[in-house]
Amino acid sequence: MIDLSHLRGKTIAVLGLGKSGLASVKALINAGAIVWAWDDNASGRDLIEPLGLAPINLTECDWTEPDMLVISPGIPSTFPTPHPAAEKARRAGVPIICDVELLCTAQPDVPTLAITGTNGKSTTTALTAHILAGAGIKTQAGGNLGNAALGLEPSGPDDCLVLELSSYQLDLLAEAAFDACALLNITPDHLDRHGGMDGYIGAKHQIFARNKGPKWAIISIDDEPCAKMSVELAREGGRHIIEISVNQPVDHGIYVSDGWLIDDLSGAQTRILDLTTVAQMPGKHNWQNIAFAYALCRARGVDATRIIDGILSFPGLAHRQERLGTIDGVVFVNDSKATNAEASAKALSAYQNIYWIVGGKPKEGGIAGLEAFYPNIKKAYLIGAATNEFADALGTDLPWEKCQTLDVATRAAFEDARQHGDDAPVVMLTPACASFDQFKSFEARGDAFRDIYAHLATNAQERS
């Protein structure tokens, strides 16, 4: 367990008892801190009873006693309306932080790589950790992905932490510093939580706030907010800056040209890897993820050959353009994580001859904006609560079939894909919808798709 013994005897309030909050409570108890814990939901409060704690309502307590408030990032501390406990803590002058702050300040000598961005940060985090581990470096990944920060095991100066950080977490850091920081991209997101676009950009900028010195700032120049921020970082000085692009050459940066990953850090424009051969990570958005992972691992001192090996052996993340396999020449892709149109666009842009399983609990806007990818789609198979809405939206632009359930849709798509004689047909679940009409989570929906694929594969083997 992470050593927080410097907080022994301190009174620490913990608000929110989900994964990160509960891990914080356990680490603080282990350190000998006095823990005041609260969750607005009774089910959350029940989790601390086995730990010997009684919940303390942080909206009613005496805020002259706590030394700090550790707040779960999902709970608003500023916009749009601060949680009453956070507001009382702020008025009392009590520092408000998150678990990542405690992790990093407890282990200042552990090499730490931090990754943020509107899109792609989970894949980049997982890929970076995979490459480092394959290169023989003891590596843990966590933060906004996987393990909570204080659920990680202690690390040493020869190890490495790879942290995915959301804008919520970045807003709650005061002293945490990172050896290499990566900002993948910025598009409008979570604007209500940051008071608008300027606040959101400001939160992302926080990843670079304390990484001056012999440290690395790795940043895209493919969107306007990031490109502007790169100029600002260069003006400030004091960092090694690596610019990343999948659209244009970058002097002394990392970029993609004609599908090749190019390393120009030394000015040699070295071709590293033909990214079109990385079948498990198709599309320019994944090429950006690869370029960032490459740069982060170079910053950690890994040579290019070991990085290439790691990229090629990376299986991808579950439910994110996850290639399940091929049956009778038909590729199956599980992109259940795509719960809105913007996310589905990435998968639909990466393949052709797609038999598209789409639907679920629709979000505002539905599938508007995906029209540009219709040439890649052979037919749509509509499921869930969005069935009629999406049928109306597609109209005569695409052939479609109302299937209602995932099982019916997958089997229908597979039969059509087998019979139509397309080149490399793809049965793709990229639903552009939430899952809650038929499944408890996008993971459960993706698992169900995987099970259907496995059953179809078994049947195909028996036929042969």
Side-chain angles (χ1 to χ4, degrees), residues 102-114:
L102 292 177
L103 170 70
C104 294
T105 54
Q107 300 187 144
D109 297 328
V110 175
T112 302
L113 313 182

Side-chain angles (χ1 to χ4, degrees), residues 37-327:
W38 180 256
D39 194 292
D40 289 339
N41 297 314
S43 58
R45 299 194 293 271
D46 290 343
L47 297 174
I48 62 173
E49 184 177 352
L51 304 177
L53 284 185
I56 294 177
N57 191 334
L58 297 179
T59 65
E60 300 175 357
C61 68
D62 178 3
W63 275 99
T64 64
E65 295 192 43
D67 294 283
M68 68 177 64
L69 170 61
V70 180
I71 188 171
S72 293
I75 299 174
S77 60
T78 52
F79 298 102
T81 302
H83 189 282
E87 183 63 23
K88 290 185 177 183
R90 182 174 291 106
R91 289 178 181 175
V94 175
I96 302 173
I97 63 169
C98 69
D99 55 343
V100 174
E101 175 80 359
L102 292 177
L103 170 70
C104 294
T105 54
Q107 300 187 144
D109 297 328
V110 175
T112 302
L113 313 182
I115 298 164
T116 195
T118 306
N119 299 299
K121 52 186 177 291
S122 292
T123 298
T124 303
T125 299
L127 175 58
T128 302
H130 174 81
I131 296 168
L132 293 171
I137 299 171
K138 181 183 175 184
T139 304
Q140 296 182 83
N144 197 53
L145 170 73
N147 292 317
L150 293 177
L152 298 169
E153 294 298 319
S155 298
D158 295 326
D159 305 333
C160 193
L161 293 179
V162 185
L163 301 180
E164 175 188 322
L165 300 180
S166 70
S167 57
Y168 300 167
Q169 290 167 314
L170 290 168
D171 254 351
L172 294 166
L173 301 181
E175 298 179 16
F178 311 108
D179 297 274
C181 308
L183 174 56
L184 278 64
N185 46 61
I186 295 178
T187 57
D189 200 15
H190 306 305
L191 301 189
D192 60 330
R193 277 291 302 270
H194 299 286
M197 191 64 180
D198 288 345
Y200 180 58
I201 293 171
K204 291 300 188 185
H205 189 277
Q206 283 297 307
I207 198 168
F208 301 114
R210 291 163 296 279
N211 85 319
K212 285 190 176 183
K215 298 181 179 181
W216 298 85
I218 305 168
I219 186 167
S220 170
I221 59 169
D222 286 342
D223 61 74
E224 184 178 354
C226 286
K228 182 178 178 181
M229 196 180 300
S230 180
V231 172
E232 293 170 355
L233 292 173
R235 187 180 299 123
E236 290 176 8
R239 303 177 182 89
H240 302 300
I241 297 176
I242 301 178
E243 293 183 330
I244 305 287
S245 177
V246 296
N247 295 328
Q248 59 186 302
V250 183
D251 288 341
H252 300 287
I254 306 293
Y255 62 94
V256 177
S257 178
D258 295 326
W260 277 85
L261 180 66
I262 309 295
D263 181 344
D264 194 44
L265 294 178
S266 63
Q269 299 180 358
T270 304
R271 284 190 168 197
I272 299 299
L273 179 63
D274 181 357
L275 300 180
T276 65
T277 66
V278 187
Q280 74 277 23
M281 296 187 71
K284 291 180 73 172
H285 63 289
N286 270 321
W287 295 357
Q288 183 184 67
N289 298 337
I290 291 171
F292 270 93
Y294 178 88
L296 284 159
C297 292
R298 284 295 309 273
R300 183 61 180 86
V302 181
D303 66 68
T305 300
R306 303 296 291 271
I307 298 174
I308 293 169
D309 291 342
I311 293 169
L312 294 176
S313 64
F314 180 61
L317 289 182
H319 315 300
R320 294 169 174 85
Q321 291 189 49
E322 177 188 12
R323 289 174 67 101
L324 301 180
T326 303
I327 307 173

Side-chain angles (χ1 to χ4, degrees), residues 351-420:
Y351 292 88
Q352 295 183 348
N353 298 324
I354 298 169
Y355 293 79
W356 179 25
I357 302 170
V358 56
K361 184 178 180 180
K363 294 188 175 179
E364 184 176 355
I367 52 175
L370 297 180
E371 295 83 0
F373 308 107
Y374 287 178
N376 296 346
I377 301 168
K378 290 293 184 176
K379 185 176 177 180
Y381 303 81
L382 310 179
I383 64 173
T387 294
N388 292 333
E389 176 185 331
F390 285 6
D392 291 341
L394 291 172
T396 58
D397 293 340
L398 275 180
W400 49 264
E401 179 178 337
K402 293 183 179 181
C403 297
Q404 299 297 337
T405 68
L406 179 59
D407 181 71
V408 171
T410 305
R411 294 174 186 277
F414 177 48
E415 285 304 313
D416 287 347
R418 284 201 307 170
Q419 295 175 11
H420 285 188

